[in-house]
Amino acid sequence: MIQFSTDFLKVLKIEKGLAENSILSYKRDLAKYHAFISNRQRIDDITNVTQRNLRAYVRFLNAENISPNSIKRAISCIRNYHQFLVSEGKMDFNPVLQIDTPRVARKLPSVLSIEDIDTLCNISESSPAAIRDKAIIEI
């Protein structure tokens, strides 16, 4: 399993041109994934991984209180990894294709209060630059 992930990381670095931090993230995600598959699922050949194993891994990540964004990134990494194995002829199918990624809640942007808006709009028009600034703010 280690050789496959090493080859995959080389492809990411050389062919995809990913940044070093991205490569390190992929490496950490793959190490955690391989440890789970080997230790918890007792699978010593990555080509024997099934959707059931992958769902167990997602449940494991949830139980570890990992953020939905991190789980989404980990699943994306594993999906790309298995797609690499399929393209290299090591696997016949990608078991991750049917695994859903968690929904990530969108945060509402912070907005100015009415008092803040009033303060911004109360610019004195004492100079041409002040008139310009007030016009920019009002638009």
Side-chain angles (χ1 to χ4, degrees):
M1 283 198 281
I2 302 299
Q3 183 58 43
F4 293 151
S5 60
T6 303
D7 293 344
F8 175 63
L9 293 171
K10 284 180 187 176
V11 167
L12 291 177
K13 186 173 187 169
I14 295 168
E15 292 180 18
K16 305 282 185 188
L18 292 184
E20 193 62 35
N21 283 340
S22 296
I23 300 293
L24 290 174
S25 292
Y26 270 91
K27 189 174 185 176
R28 277 190 305 270
D29 288 340
L30 286 175
K32 190 171 198 168
Y33 173 61
H34 281 286
F36 176 83
I37 293 299
S38 297
N39 300 333
R40 299 263 180 126
Q41 300 291 301
R42 305 282 188 238
I43 297 173
D44 55 355
D45 185 358
I46 194 71
T47 62
N48 294 329
V49 171
T50 66
Q51 289 179 2
R52 183 171 162 237
N53 303 122
L54 292 163
R55 286 191 176 94
Y57 183 61
V58 172
R59 284 192 301 275
F60 166 75
L61 294 176
N62 278 316
E64 295 277 306
N65 290 326
I66 294 176
S67 75
N69 276 332
S70 295
I71 293 173
K72 192 172 183 175
R73 188 197 71 229
I75 293 170
S76 174
C77 167
I78 296 164
R79 183 176 287 126
N80 289 330
Y81 177 56
H82 280 279
Q83 189 58 45
F84 165 77
L85 294 175
V86 169
S87 69
E88 293 292 310
K90 307 296 183 195
M91 293 184 78
D92 295 330
F93 70 101
N94 185 344
V96 191
L97 293 178
Q98 300 300 319
I99 304 298
D100 294 326
T101 55
R103 299 209 182 263
V104 178
R106 292 185 184 182
K107 295 179 183 177
L108 292 174
S110 59
V111 295
L112 296 174
S113 68
I114 292 174
E115 294 81 22
D116 292 338
I117 294 170
D118 286 339
T119 302
L120 284 173
C121 290
N122 287 331
I123 296 174
S124 72
E125 299 175 10
S126 58
S127 69
I131 294 170
R132 179 205 63 207
D133 293 346
K134 186 171 183 170
I136 290 171
I137 290 171
E138 286 181 355
I139 290 177

